[in-house]
Amino acid sequence: MKEKLRIYGNERLEGEVAVSGGKNAAVAIIPAALLADSPSTIENIPDINDVHVIIEMLKWLGAHVDFRDNTLWVDPRTVDKFNPPYELAGKMRASYYLAPVLLGLFHRAEVPLPGGCDIGARPIDQTIKGMCTLGAKVETLGGVLVATADEMLGGDIFLDMPSVGATVNSMLTAVSASGLTCIHNAAKEPHIVDLANFLSSMGAYVKGAGTDVIRIRGGRQLHGANYTVVPDQIETGTLMIAAAAAGDDVLITGAIPTHMESLSAKLLEMGVNVASEDDWIRVRSNRVFRAVNVKTQGYPGFPTDLQQPLSALLTVANGTSIVTETIFESRFRFLDELRKMGANVRTIESSAIITGVNHLVGSRVNATDLRAGAAMVVAGLMAEGVTEIGGVSYILRGYERIDEKLKSLGAHIERIQYEDPLL
Ligand code: EPU
């Protein structure tokens, strides 16, 4: 059976909705828990497909795991394998976070090259450079990342760009390497800071996360920790954009407003009323928008993961917006789907030129990747008529109960199972 989302557009959203725990934080923190000599309890883990896959990998490696009510208990003491299978590792990007962890535990890791959304080339040269700088020998053999090291020593890692994945992998390598490691030009995303906080709560020495240089003094014995994952920055942003697109007055709770400043500023520029305090963000919209220009960047810049949902919103703004994607070259493929709904969009190199139309028209469209799926949901909420979105499995990889959450705000949205005639 396959699934699609059916959205009856143009319903007003109103009320309160809570943000789930961060996907990209959880998928880094869960592998890190294997480095401890005792169990960890991690709360606010989103119940999404990517988390289920990583849990299956942990079990396959020998860990004892219990996941219920968004709380994950992991006992790593029985882990006895260093080679997760392709069938699991190939399903998600973050599977390669297991490589530095297993290298630290067994002096050897064999991890199939990561899968994940097809949004660009996504090379891993910076991860390999980081691990090699600390003394590992890393090869890719037959689609498998093979890392070995008798001894790892801290050192200076200079990343060519502030890559999230390479920063995570360098941090996870550094905690097992003796002495001081400095990761220069590190990514600064909230999930990097969250991983650093989790490692610190396990007893690691990690300073500077959230700045350009992260310093880690490795080689300490790490212990299990009780930890709560940060709210999901991208889910928060997606809900804010959905609220702007179809809402009157929506309160998003359990959020961290400071993580959302680049989006809040853009929404304000578009004429949306955004207010926040403590752990909530209130979005009030009259659904009349000014066109704006947006350029994606690493944190604290405008996140590439919100480019697609915001582009969907810009299709009905007054005037012409220019959206420039600097991180992933294939993150404009979903524009073809928006065109089916009546959007006036063209691309020139890495920019999308979006000229606002009066309204979108409900259509049959596909989620071409996770955030493209979120964009189609935003478009469906605004459109006149019915929108059916295929490729729902992409959306469920990263958004916990997105249909239920939107329904609780008044959206008319259904999850429909159907037989694929081609199967
Ligand atoms: N890059 C390289 N070499 C490397 C690593 C990265 O050239 O070794 C380039 C990439 O091609 C890209 C840029 O550097 O142009 C940034 O890539 P980054 O490594 O930061 O991305 P990632 O780690 O693969 C994570 C998130 C993505 C998110 C990006 C950017 C996870 C599991 N994934 O990917 O999340 O888009 O950072 O913020 O954390 C999503 O959640 O939908 C998603 C795709």
Side-chain angles (χ1 to χ4, degrees), residues 23-25 27 50 92-94 96-97 117 119-128 161-168 187 189 191 234 297-299 303-305 308 326-329 331 369-371:
K23 168 180 91 81
N24 290 343
V27 297
D50 271 10
M92 65 181 298
R93 180 72 187 164
Y96 74 150
Y97 294 165
C117 283
I119 50 180
R122 307 188 86 177
I124 61 165
D125 53 297
Q126 301 301 304
T127 281
I128 294 175
M161 75 290 291
S163 153
V164 169
T167 303
V168 167
E189 268 69 6
H191 21 290
I234 305 302
Q297 281 169 336
Y299 189 83
T304 171
D305 293 345
Q308 292 150 304
T326 70
I327 313 284
F328 290 119
E329 64 274 15
R331 262 196 161 160
D369 63 70
L370 165 60
R371 308 304 173 186

Side-chain angles (χ1 to χ4, degrees), residues 3-26:
E3 268 193 308
K4 59 185 170 190
L5 282 180
R6 181 179 291 154
I7 302 177
Y8 299 83
N10 234 345
E11 298 285 343
R12 290 286 85 81
L13 305 187
E14 200 159 7
E16 199 174 312
V17 64
V19 176
S20 298
K23 168 180 91 81
N24 290 343

Side-chain angles (χ1 to χ4, degrees), residues 308-322:
Q308 292 150 304
L310 190 77
S311 293
L313 185 60
L314 290 173
T315 60
V316 296
N318 293 320
T320 297
S321 304
I322 300 176

Side-chain angles (χ1 to χ4, degrees), residues 19 64 74 82 94 129 276 280 348:
V19 176
H64 285 116
V74 187
F82 52 76
K129 180 170 77 178
S276 63
W280 56 259
I348 299 178

